[in-house]
Amino acid sequence: METAHDEPSGAAAAPPWWRDAVFYQVYVRSFADSDGDGVGDLEGIRSRLGYLELLGVDALWLTPFFTSPMADHGYDVADPRDVDPLFGDLAAFDRLVAEAHEHGIRVTIDLVPNHTSDQHPWFAAALRGGPERARYHFRPGRGAGGELPPNNWTSVFGGPAWTRSPDGEWYLHLFAPQQPDLNWDDSDVRADLVRTLRFWLDRGVDGFRVDVAHGMAKAPGLPDLDPAVVPVLTGAHAHPVEDPRFDNDEVHDIHRMIRQVVDRYADTVTVGEIWVQTDERFARYVRPDELHLGFNFKLALTAFDADSVRRAIDNSLAAVAATGAPPTWTLSNHDVERHVTRYGGGETGTRRARAMALVQLALPGVVFLYNGEELGLPNVDLPDWALQDPIHEHTGGRERGRDGCRVPMPWEGGGPTFGFSTGDRSWLPMPSDWASFTVESQLEDPGSVLSLYRHALEVRKTVEAFDGEELEWYGAPPGCFAFRRKGGGLICALNTSDAPVPLPPGEVLLASGPVTSSDLPPETAVWLV
Ligand code: NOJ
Ligand code: MG
């Protein structure tokens, strides 16, 4: 509920709950299916809240469950203030939030301000030539007959960022053609976002994950980009959204507007998906009057190598040092290959992922876990017929897309859905050999990845050694590192080399694999006090 912001001056405010929170990302389609249609839904999530409490997470981030034709699995929103029937209804959402809170778990949801679905009523009206056209970016084409796109921007998903509408003009979409970009100069677009924020805040959500937080404001005049100056972070495309010219004042104005609404509700948080080129530009978004937190993908892009991981940690800490915001840590999400696979897959990938889990959970700040990583799920190499990600289609099959990290959660029993669905199908096929990954099979096994996460999350929450936000590095043998949390004194040591090294002094709290009293084995991490 809305609260006034008039704390007595001079009262020492307790740190906000999210400063060291563990968020758990629920990819809604893939978490739990309650109605047997093969697609995860809100009731499914509600039915698994006991598990999430047992796991020990503080908050959920739910990916989009809003009304959508699902061209990008919900990131194409046709009505931002309703639930798609595929996922449930508003009553189911209210039940989920209320029960999550009873379990001591906060609920944050996705906000998709950069674009709508092409099935949004505004876009339909825009195509009919209505005044709603001003809420998108329509432009005449180039060439004698306007047959060429207005500029050279490419879509993040492949192909041009422009599609010609039946009346001959082109509209801009940084993602799929079914995701037309909104024009943030338009006051109706802004007013509608405020309505959306208040709608969900009034229903009790604890905050928002802001999709494409860096992309809403376009370079004035929509100029051609020099492909040579556009860095290519992923895939083979120039990403207009990563061009420095997008980081103009207007985008920050939007974030300030969001923050003003969110700040009227107690204990809320916003986290931005910010893909920009430099830490300096990243830090501009994370401010007392803009986003509380920014996603940090550095660990998700770093190899299993102590020097590289240490560099990623140092750079991450430096990136937010001047902002006053805590760092955030992510190993996987619904857009990238799962890290077990990235680290080599199989037993090697699992061993390394276990070690990195202890590194991630030892760091000061905010952790984002992606559903299934607590089970050690690998990426799945899906057959062509099963692929659904628009990236696969828009790159003409050159890229396989992100389906492999979105395969549903195995809960119990056997195939084909391992308890994911009450029916016998899942929207992406689940590998027939996943019985050993199920929650059921891992819960009672003290050596499972799930047991490691449960144990680590509990220790992280209850042991004072995790206090404080500063860390210091120790000298360590090649291929290894050790850091200490300055406040509480926790030591985390990682060995990425292929030989055992001496264990730092201290009492072992937890290890990612078998350790002796004197040795830290290869590809292992340990917590000591
Ligand atoms: C980022 C989301 O994480 C991704 O899944 C989506 O496709 C794009 N934004 C477009 O909304
Ligand atoms: Mg369902």
Side-chain angles (χ1 to χ4, degrees):
M1 284 296 106
E2 198 162 338
T3 51
H5 243 222
D6 49 4
E7 280 176 15
S9 57
W17 65 269
W18 42 264
R19 261 202 101 86
D20 60 355
V22 175
F23 284 76
Y24 184 91
Q25 178 191 355
V26 175
Y27 191 70
V28 176
R29 289 183 78 83
S30 300
F31 191 65
D33 171 28
S34 72
D35 61 0
D37 63 359
V39 179
D41 43 51
L42 298 179
E43 275 294 301
I45 302 168
R46 191 174 69 87
S47 74
R48 298 294 186 178
L49 285 170
Y51 166 73
L52 294 167
E53 185 178 351
L54 198 71
L55 177 60
V57 299
D58 301 302
L60 306 182
W61 152 29
L62 306 181
T63 58
F65 49 82
F66 318 110
T67 312
S68 166
M70 308 290 164
D72 187 19
H73 294 326
Y75 282 98
D76 49 319
V77 180
D79 181 351
R81 295 184 289 275
D82 205 351
V83 174
D84 194 279
L86 188 64
F87 298 130
D89 55 22
L90 284 170
F93 181 78
D94 293 342
R95 278 195 299 276
L96 171 57
V97 172
E99 279 190 36
H101 287 166
E102 279 164 25
H103 284 269
I105 299 173
R106 318 231 185 196
V107 180
T108 66
I109 65 173
D110 235 300
L111 188 73
V112 190
N114 181 66
H115 43 266
T116 68
S117 159
D118 63 347
Q119 304 299 309
H120 190 293
W122 289 358
F123 194 71
L127 286 183
R128 292 193 300 268
E132 292 81 357
R133 209 168 168 94
R135 298 177 193 172
Y136 296 91
H137 297 280
F138 280 86
R139 293 286 185 283
R142 294 198 281 203
E147 73 284 3
L148 296 172
N151 70 21
N152 67 354
W153 296 6
T154 51
S155 149
V156 176
F157 288 173
W162 296 91
T163 290
R164 203 167 191 191
S165 63
D167 63 25
E169 284 209 325
W170 298 71
Y171 67 88
L172 176 68
H173 52 84
L174 295 185
F175 296 90
Q178 297 93 332
Q179 294 165 293
D181 277 47
L182 286 165
N183 172 14
W184 279 89
D185 290 335
D186 188 278
S187 56
D188 291 329
V189 169
R190 290 177 183 239
D192 194 72
L193 183 69
V194 171
R195 273 200 290 282
T196 300
L197 291 165
R198 297 181 65 108
F199 179 86
W200 295 109
L201 289 162
D202 285 338
R203 294 196 106 87
V205 303
D206 300 289
F208 299 92
R209 175 265 188 188
V210 184
D211 190 60
V212 199
H214 55 292
M216 280 108 80
K218 311 299 190 268
L222 309 181
D224 268 339
L225 296 176
D226 174 356
V229 302
V230 179
V232 180
L233 290 191
T234 53
H237 336 291
H239 284 211
V241 291
E242 287 156 14
D243 185 275
R245 283 173 292 180
F246 281 94
D247 205 12
N248 57 32
D249 285 342
E250 203 203 333
V251 79
H252 296 290
D253 198 44
I254 301 165
H255 289 299
R256 282 191 289 272
M257 183 188 85
I258 294 174
R259 182 66 179 262
Q260 274 168 23
V261 178
V262 168
D263 267 354
R264 296 193 61 83
Y265 295 76
D267 295 331
T268 46
V269 66
T270 53
V271 50
E273 184 204 28
I274 308 162
W275 287 101
V276 288
Q277 293 172 61
T278 64
D279 293 339
E280 187 274 326
R281 293 180 59 222
F282 179 90
R284 288 194 217 162
Y285 289 80
V286 184
R287 302 198 202 212
D289 60 347
E290 294 193 26
L291 291 156
H292 297 83
L293 298 168
F295 272 100
N296 164 26
F297 298 106
K298 291 188 202 300
L299 285 185
L301 301 171
T302 300
F304 184 76
D305 158 64
D307 287 346
S308 309
V309 175
R310 176 174 169 168
R311 229 176 358 256
I313 293 171
D314 276 336
N315 292 342
S316 304
L317 295 171
V320 291
T323 68
T328 71
W329 309 103
T330 300
L331 292 171
S332 286
N333 74 13
H334 67 297
D335 291 330
V336 299
E337 187 177 50
R338 284 191 179 272
H339 58 277
V340 165
T341 305
R342 203 161 55 77
Y343 293 151
E347 276 177 31
T348 301
T350 305
R351 192 166 52 243
R352 294 173 172 180
R354 291 174 64 102
M356 284 304 295
L358 290 201
V359 171
Q360 180 190 29
L361 291 167
L363 289 164
V366 181
V367 168
F368 285 90
L369 304 179
Y370 173 48
N371 62 200
E373 80 184 51
E374 81 279 20
L375 305 177
L377 291 187
N379 232 66
V380 179
D381 198 6
L382 290 161
D384 280 4
W385 61 263
L387 299 179
Q388 304 194 21
D389 185 357
I391 288 186
H392 185 246
E393 179 194 334
H394 293 294
T395 59
R398 274 193 319 282
E399 289 179 32
R400 297 196 62 75
R402 302 161 293 180
D403 297 303
C405 66
R406 298 173 175 180
V407 172
M409 287 272 289
W411 290 93
E412 64 241 341
T417 78
F418 301 93
F420 160 69
S421 176
T422 51
D424 59 5
R425 63 203 158 110
S426 56
W427 72 281
L428 291 171
M430 302 172 68
S432 55
D433 61 356
W434 266 17
S436 62
F437 284 112
T438 62
V439 169
E440 178 186 49
S441 68
Q442 295 198 39
L443 266 183
E444 300 309 324
D445 172 6
S448 68
V449 178
L450 179 55
S451 293
L452 178 72
Y453 270 90
R454 281 181 67 193
H455 197 158
L457 287 171
E458 181 172 351
V459 172
R460 186 179 193 275
K461 194 169 292 176
T462 51
V463 174
E464 282 169 8
F466 287 77
D467 287 354
E469 294 193 351
E470 276 181 83
L471 63 78
E472 64 189 354
W473 296 100
Y474 279 85
C480 301
F481 69 53
F483 64 77
R484 181 172 163 274
R485 293 278 293 266
K486 269 186 168 173
L490 173 87
I491 293 168
C492 175
L494 171 71
N495 178 5
T496 63
S497 78
D498 53 14
V501 297
L503 204 58
E507 179 204 333
V508 173
L509 280 179
L510 188 58
S512 66
V515 290
T516 68
S517 56
S518 57
D519 279 349
L520 178 59
E523 308 199 316
T524 305
V526 67
W527 289 352
L528 307 131
V529 280

